[in-house]
Amino acid sequence: IGKISEVVHETQKERGKTALFLNGGIDLAVLKQQRSIVDDKITAVKNSFGISGYTQDELGVISDNLLKYDALRANITAKSIVTNKALKGYTSIILNFLKLESHLAQTVASAHISSLITSLRTLEDGKESGGKFRANVSGIFAGDKAISTEKFNAILKLKAGVDANIIASSLVLNKSSLDLRTVFLNSKEWGIVNNDFVVLLKKSSIGSYERSGSGFFNTITAALNIYGKLVLDHKAYLVKEIKQLERQSLVSFRNDSIVLALITLCVIIFILYIIKISGESISLIKSVGVSVEKESTGVSESSSSISSIATQLSDATTSQASSLQETVSSINEIDSMIQKSSGAIINSTK
């Protein structure tokens, strides 16, 4: 933005000197000196394309604008173009550059930075109005002729553009920029410009302004240089605020990273604790299972012992019953034998 702004500033001067040249106020050599300054600023812009941060479409606008200089200058050098058309050619180039600043303001997330960029555009618009005012009035004074109503209204509009933009209520300026604004408004040079403007208004229908074009150009350029310092000061403030925002964003990112790391660590510790508790629970369950298994085994062994004893008792009972049965049989045999012997004795007695 800074390098493009420098191109705009020097192009505004080239536009003013072009008006002087086309109206016989300066020689071509003086105009070429200013062109050389603009060319140096253009080279700086081209060299910064790779790190500019602009999109390809925006770089395309810049490149197209830079290509317009050669054809416009060629017509001016040959004096094959009228002053008004030449000035419009420069104005078109400048406005395309300034539009990029407005577009940039819309893409910035920070409301504060966006307001500063918008303020920069407002200041640049005011300065651009001043540049066009310089070019047109310098040419009028150099030609020293009456102007049309249309031209008269255009001059009024340009002067109002300077006055309105520099005191716009929407401007967000730091103290040093406010001080420079006061210096500009109260400067001797701007006071002379205001007086020359009054003379122009009074004599616009007849000419004979009794003011040289180059003299007016030098005076208003001195005043606009103060305005330019205001713009540069505001840009420096904007850069400072952007860097501050970047530092804050970096600190915020670092703090967020630390918090995220701590949260992650806490989650990991919690998970490990859960795993540990789960492991202990599983071990306890396994221990209880082993105990139950042992108790079950003991009960099983006891049951086997009881079953064995019962079997032994059953076998003993069976054996005793068998022995008793044999005894009973023996008694029955003895009883039978006694009965037979008694029967034999009875028969013998008879």
Side-chain angles (χ1 to χ4, degrees):
I1 293 176
K3 293 187 186 324
I4 289 178
S5 183
E6 291 176 3
V7 172
V8 169
H9 179 65
E10 296 300 334
T11 299
Q12 288 169 339
K13 291 182 180 179
E14 181 178 333
R15 178 178 56 192
K17 291 186 177 181
T18 295
L20 286 175
F21 169 71
L22 292 176
N23 289 277
I26 60 173
D27 296 330
L28 179 60
V30 177
L31 177 57
K32 285 186 174 181
Q33 288 177 354
Q34 182 59 38
R35 288 177 178 177
S36 178
I37 296 173
V38 173
D39 289 341
D40 289 341
K41 301 300 181 182
I42 289 174
T43 299
V45 168
K46 290 180 178 179
N47 291 339
S48 66
F49 270 14
I51 57 173
S52 65
Y54 282 113
T55 65
Q56 289 300 317
D57 289 341
E58 291 166 342
L59 290 177
V61 171
I62 296 172
S63 297
D64 290 343
N65 268 348
L66 298 181
L67 292 174
K68 294 177 181 178
Y69 281 89
D70 291 339
L72 181 59
R73 286 172 173 175
N75 289 328
I76 292 169
T77 300
K79 290 190 175 182
S80 59
I81 186 173
V82 297
T83 302
N84 189 47
K85 187 174 181 180
L87 299 185
K88 286 183 178 179
Y90 281 112
T91 298
S92 175
I93 294 173
I94 292 169
L95 289 180
N96 282 331
F97 281 137
L98 294 179
K99 285 179 182 178
L100 293 178
E101 291 181 356
S102 295
H103 174 68
L104 181 60
Q106 297 172 359
T107 62
V108 177
S110 168
H112 176 57
I113 299 301
S114 180
S115 67
L116 293 180
I117 295 176
T118 300
S119 295
L120 175 60
R121 174 60 196 272
T122 300
L123 291 173
E124 291 277 23
D125 284 344
K127 185 169 174 288
E128 168 62 5
S129 293
K132 289 191 285 187
F133 179 75
R134 173 177 55 193
N136 281 274
V137 176
S138 294
I140 292 170
F141 283 159
D144 202 28
K145 297 178 181 179
I147 59 174
S148 65
T149 301
E150 182 181 359
K151 190 72 170 180
F152 179 86
N153 291 332
I155 296 299
L156 287 176
K157 184 177 179 181
L158 293 174
K159 183 63 167 60
V162 182
D163 296 334
N165 281 293
I166 199 168
I167 61 172
S169 60
S170 60
L171 288 176
V172 179
L173 304 176
N174 65 352
K175 185 179 182 306
S176 59
S177 293
L178 290 171
D179 290 342
L180 282 169
R181 181 173 68 176
T182 300
V183 170
F184 167 76
L185 293 173
N186 296 330
S187 67
K188 176 183 176 181
E189 292 81 5
W190 190 243
I192 294 173
V193 169
N194 286 328
N195 291 334
D196 289 339
F197 178 61
V198 172
V199 171
L200 174 62
L201 296 181
K202 289 180 178 180
K203 297 185 175 183
S204 61
S205 61
I206 59 175
S208 300
Y209 304 103
E210 299 179 357
R211 181 70 160 117
S212 70
S214 59
F216 175 80
F217 180 90
N218 292 333
T219 300
I220 191 174
T221 296
L224 291 179
N225 283 342
I226 300 174
Y227 198 135
K229 290 179 181 179
L230 164 59
V231 174
L232 291 176
D233 184 80
H234 182 72
K235 284 179 183 175
Y237 176 56
L238 172 60
V239 171
K240 178 183 175 182
E241 291 298 295
I242 290 175
K243 290 182 178 180
Q244 177 65 22
L245 179 63
E246 289 176 345
R247 286 193 294 268
Q248 291 175 352
S249 298
L250 181 61
V251 171
S252 177
F253 175 76
R254 183 182 62 188
N255 291 340
D256 290 344
S257 298
I258 293 173
V259 171
L260 180 60
L262 290 175
I263 292 174
T264 303
L265 180 61
C266 290
V267 171
I268 292 174
I269 292 174
F270 178 74
I271 292 174
L272 292 176
Y273 176 75
I274 294 298
I275 292 174
K276 179 181 178 182
I277 294 298
S278 300
E280 292 177 353
S281 299
I282 292 172
S283 298
L284 179 61
I285 293 171
K286 286 183 178 180
S287 177
V288 171
V290 171
S291 297
V292 171
E293 184 179 3
K294 288 181 179 179
E295 292 297 330
S296 299
T297 302
V299 170
S300 177
E301 291 176 351
S302 297
S303 298
S304 298
S305 298
I306 293 172
S307 176
S308 176
I309 292 172
T311 300
Q312 291 175 3
L313 288 175
S314 177
D315 291 343
T317 301
T318 301
S319 177
Q320 290 177 358
S322 177
S323 297
L324 181 60
Q325 182 66 36
E326 289 178 355
T327 301
V328 171
S329 298
S330 297
I331 292 173
N332 289 334
E333 289 180 359
I334 293 172
D335 181 64
S336 178
M337 289 177 63
I338 292 174
Q339 288 181 359
K340 288 180 179 181
S341 297
S342 296
I345 293 173
I346 293 173
N347 289 328
S348 297
T349 303
K350 291 180 173 182

